[in-house]
């Protein structure tokens, strides 16, 4: 699937920087995978004159290695001194010279190494594929290039790969090689490009297409992953892979909304239960206070009655003393009796009334927080929770973390407070990925949210990361607050939708 056009002076142009005219990258899994897809250019020369040119597609399996079809670079194998291999990435402003390091003509696969740039490696899907499943082809179809290229430089100018979508139509055997039959539209030039699932993982390597004479439908053949894996093992090249079923962003977000709704309903239930308990506590408090008030009022009235009786008795004694002409004693006794009567009236009037509004007993509703997991800090072993995750490019091995009360993880990485959680945003120099790491001690949940970004987006994120002052663990709250503010600045440079989220359930190590 190579374009046979003769392009003079292409050899010189290959070594030069060329202008970037790629369209803005879309924030989805296929666009993210497309950043690891390349155009493979072969240039044949004799005595300094270009005598042949071909091109196909390829994709990264390591930062400096790409896979393509053997037939795309077979001329470089036959005439290593006269054929150069060019690797044209989908981003940037340069092309790079490649070197053939492994080739398998039977499987129609080749491995090319290059220097000068690091590409994001694509992940292979090792799980089952069913007929009718959606598939996407990425590459550089020659008919598009012939229609749009104006100069030789257009063939070595970084461009976003062309995508086409179809379905899986079954497995076949093509000259002893296991292949996938699919309906995604491919053409000459797509050779060596990846066939992807909707999560952007490689299902196979596009290699051939059926003829479509007299209106027949056209089908594509992609070399199956088991053949690619065998080839890469023989070339001693590791192959990133996972077998987790693809969950679309829409499905993941819907599940997250469902989980958030369930959490909201749980909060509302706790609030209703707390309100009901507060009302019951208040009613109990009112009844208790009412009973105590009745007893107190009765005691007051009994006391008032006793004081009244004693006052009346004192007045009677005073009158008796007066008849006996004991005037002084009679006056004193009468005054004492009067005082007792006044005290009786005051006691009766001042007996406590019952006011339900004065009873607080649970009137203020306190909604209890979710029950925290015990031992949420220290050394933890975290296991992937697949129903809560969206896995695309990463493995799902257990993660070990050791977090102290100040948010220092594994003794070297400082996390910042994010509510009740701890959070850190990682912006690496060598990878086109920003990761948001978060640990929730109350639920012992650890998560990694990844954004697969374009070169321009990574440049912005790295520029903002340069403002982060906290480079190691710190117990200073002010330093952590500054880290949180700097990280928020990085967050604003990220897309609204993530590419991958791994959620882990943790438990104490050992």
């Amino acid at each position: 699937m190579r374009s046979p056009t003769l392009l003079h002076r292409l050899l010189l142009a290959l070594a030069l920087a060329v202008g970037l005219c790629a369209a803005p990258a879309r924030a989805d899994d296929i666009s993210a995978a497309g950043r690891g897809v390349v155009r493979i250019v072969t240039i044949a020369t004799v005595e300094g004159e270009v005598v042949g040119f071909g091109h196909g597609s390829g994709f990264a399996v390591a930062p400096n290695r790409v896979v393509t079809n053997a037939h795309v670079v077979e001329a470089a194998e036959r005439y290593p001194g006269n054929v150069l291999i060019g690797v044209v990435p989908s981003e940037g402003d340069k092309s790079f010279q490649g070197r053939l390091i492994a080739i398998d003509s039977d499987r129609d696969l080749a491995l090319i190494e290059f220097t000068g740039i690091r590409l994001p490696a694509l992940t292979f899907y090792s799980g089952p594929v069913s007929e009718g499943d959606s598939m996407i082809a990425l590459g550089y179809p020659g008919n598009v290039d012939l229609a749009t290229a104006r100069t030789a430089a257009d063939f070595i100018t970084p461009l976003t790969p062309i995508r086409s979508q179809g379905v899986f139509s079954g497995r076949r055997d093509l000259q002893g090689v296991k292949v996938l039959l699919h309906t995604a539209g491919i053409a000459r030039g797509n050779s060596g490009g990846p066939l992807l699932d909707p999560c952007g993982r490689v299902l196979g390597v596009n290699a051939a297409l059926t003829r479509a004479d007299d209106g027949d439908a056209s089908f594509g053949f992609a070399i199956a992953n088991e053949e690619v894996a065998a080839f890469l093992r023989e070339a001693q090249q590791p192959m990133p892979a996972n077998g987790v079923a693809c969950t679309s962003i829409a499905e993941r977000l819907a599940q997250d909304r469902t989980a958030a709704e369930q959490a909201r309903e749980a909060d509302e239930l706790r609030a209703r239960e707390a309100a009901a308990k507060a009302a019951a506590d208040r009613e109990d408090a009112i009844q208790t206070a009412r009973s105590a008030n009745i007893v107190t009022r009765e005691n007051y009235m009994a006391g008032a009655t006793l004081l009244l009786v004693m006052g009346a008795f004192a007045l009677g004694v005073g009158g008796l003393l007066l008849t006996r002409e004991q005037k002084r004693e009679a006056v004193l006794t009468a005054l004492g009796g009067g005082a007792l009567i006044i005290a009786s009236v005051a006691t009766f009037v001042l007996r406590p009334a019952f006011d339900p509004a004065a009873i607080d007993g649970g009137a203020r509703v306190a909604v209890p927080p979710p029950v925290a997991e015990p031992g949420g800090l220290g050394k933890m072993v975290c296991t992937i929770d697949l129903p809560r995750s969206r896995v695309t490019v990463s493995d799902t091995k257990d993660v070990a973390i050791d977090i102290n009360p100040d948010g220092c993880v594994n003794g070297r990485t400082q996390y910042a407070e994010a509510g009740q959680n701890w959070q850190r945003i990682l912006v690496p120099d060598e990878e086109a990925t920003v990761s948001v790491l978060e640990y929730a001690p109350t639920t012992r949940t650890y998560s990694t949210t990844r954004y697969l970004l374009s070169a321009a987006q990574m440049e912005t994120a790295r520029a903002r990361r340069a403002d982060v002052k906290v480079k190691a663990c710190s117990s200073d709250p002010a330093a952590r607050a500054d880290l949180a503010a700097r990280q928020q600045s990085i967050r604003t440079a990220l897309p609204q939708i993530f590419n991958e989220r791994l959620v882990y359930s943790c438990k104490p190590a050992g």
Side-chain angles (χ1 to χ4, degrees), residues 380-393:
M380 313 293 292
V381 175
C382 305
T383 303
I384 192 72
D385 187 348
L386 289 178
R388 299 168 62 193
S389 302
R390 182 176 194 260
V391 183
T392 58
V393 300

Side-chain angles (χ1 to χ4, degrees), residues 100-184:
L100 183 64
I101 60 174
I103 190 166
D104 186 336
S105 298
D106 292 333
R107 292 192 178 97
D108 195 15
L109 293 171
L111 186 63
I112 298 170
E113 187 176 69
F114 57 92
T115 58
I117 189 174
R118 292 176 62 86
L119 295 178
L122 274 66
T123 298
F124 288 79
Y125 177 58
S126 58
V129 182
S130 302
E131 291 189 13
D133 284 355
S134 179
M135 294 183 170
I136 300 94
L138 280 185
Y140 296 92
N143 51 6
V144 174
D145 290 332
L146 291 175
T148 59
R150 296 181 180 180
T151 68
D154 289 337
F155 286 86
I156 57 168
T157 298
L159 288 170
T160 302
I162 303 297
R163 68 171 77 187
S164 59
Q165 187 164 339
V167 298
F168 177 48
S169 301
R171 293 181 178 270
R172 294 293 186 272
D173 189 286
L174 187 63
Q175 298 178 351
V177 178
K178 296 180 178 63
V179 297
L180 306 180
L181 184 66
H182 64 87
T183 63

Side-chain angles (χ1 to χ4, degrees), residues 254-377:
Q255 292 169 1
D256 288 346
R257 285 193 295 270
T258 300
E261 180 67 18
Q262 291 174 345
R264 185 186 64 79
E265 291 176 354
D267 290 341
E268 291 178 352
L269 177 60
R270 285 197 303 273
R272 289 195 297 270
E273 291 176 345
K277 184 177 185 301
D281 291 345
R282 177 178 172 79
E283 185 62 29
D284 291 343
I286 289 175
Q287 294 300 328
T288 301
R290 190 189 299 276
S291 299
N293 179 262
I294 292 174
V295 172
T296 303
R297 285 170 61 87
E298 289 177 348
N299 289 337
Y300 266 69
M301 288 186 291
T305 302
L306 178 62
L307 290 173
L308 180 62
V309 171
M310 293 175 61
F313 180 76
L315 289 176
V317 172
L320 179 62
L321 292 175
L322 186 61
T323 59
R324 295 180 179 181
E325 297 183 352
Q326 296 177 332
K327 185 175 181 179
R328 183 173 180 276
E329 289 80 358
V331 170
L332 293 175
T333 303
L335 290 175
L340 289 173
I341 292 174
I342 292 172
S344 171
V345 172
T347 300
F348 182 81
V349 172
L350 295 177
R351 69 190 186 281
F354 180 69
D355 181 11
I359 307 301
D360 196 16
R364 292 186 297 271
V365 178
V367 180
V371 179
E373 290 276 5
L377 298 176

Side-chain angles (χ1 to χ4, degrees), residues 409-494:
V409 175
N410 297 334
R412 61 180 182 273
T413 305
Q414 181 63 53
Y415 283 41
E417 287 94 336
Q420 294 184 338
N421 300 344
W422 293 98
Q423 187 180 94
R424 185 62 189 259
I425 300 179
L426 300 183
V427 186
D429 289 324
E430 301 295 337
E431 299 177 12
T433 303
V434 172
S435 299
V436 180
L437 314 179
E438 187 164 348
Y439 179 67
T442 56
T443 59
R444 295 202 310 223
T445 300
Y446 182 72
S447 66
T448 300
T449 303
R450 288 195 172 94
Y451 299 82
L452 309 181
L453 304 182
S454 67
Q457 289 171 321
M458 286 302 304
E459 184 177 352
T460 301
R462 289 177 183 131
R464 299 190 181 189
R465 180 202 58 185
D467 295 332
V468 175
K469 300 176 182 179
V470 178
K471 304 299 182 182
C473 289
S474 174
S475 59
D476 181 8
R480 296 200 302 268
D482 181 73
L483 173 61
R486 306 291 181 181
Q487 291 192 152
Q488 183 58 34
S489 175
I490 299 174
R491 287 297 295 264
T492 60
L494 300 179

Side-chain angles (χ1 to χ4, degrees), residues 42-230:
T42 57
I43 309 156
T45 62
V46 175
E47 297 180 354
E49 292 292 325
V50 176
V51 298
F53 165 77
H55 88 271
S57 304
F59 61 93
V61 293
N64 65 332
R65 289 184 173 183
V66 295
V67 163
T68 187
N69 283 145
H71 73 257
V72 172
V73 293
E74 61 184 352
E77 181 192 24
R78 291 183 183 180
Y79 311 104
N82 297 94
V83 178
L84 292 181
I85 299 174
V87 177
V88 187
S90 62
E91 292 185 307
D93 58 3
K94 293 182 180 180
S95 302
F96 304 89
Q97 185 170 336
R99 179 174 66 92
L100 183 64
I101 60 174
I103 190 166
D104 186 336
S105 298
D106 292 333
R107 292 192 178 97
D108 195 15
L109 293 171
L111 186 63
I112 298 170
E113 187 176 69
F114 57 92
T115 58
I117 189 174
R118 292 176 62 86
L119 295 178
L122 274 66
T123 298
F124 288 79
Y125 177 58
S126 58
V129 182
S130 302
E131 291 189 13
D133 284 355
S134 179
M135 294 183 170
I136 300 94
L138 280 185
Y140 296 92
N143 51 6
V144 174
D145 290 332
L146 291 175
T148 59
R150 296 181 180 180
T151 68
D154 289 337
F155 286 86
I156 57 168
T157 298
L159 288 170
T160 302
I162 303 297
R163 68 171 77 187
S164 59
Q165 187 164 339
V167 298
F168 177 48
S169 301
R171 293 181 178 270
R172 294 293 186 272
D173 189 286
L174 187 63
Q175 298 178 351
V177 178
K178 296 180 178 63
V179 297
L180 306 180
L181 184 66
H182 64 87
T183 63
I186 59 175
R188 292 179 175 85
N190 277 104
S191 284
L195 181 68
L196 308 173
D197 75 353
C199 282
R201 298 173 297 189
V202 179
L203 300 169
V205 180
N206 285 313
L209 68 160
T210 60
R211 296 181 62 179
D213 295 337
D214 300 325
D216 291 342
S218 178
F219 291 87
F221 292 101
I223 301 167
N225 276 355
E226 55 261 41
E227 301 282 3
V228 183

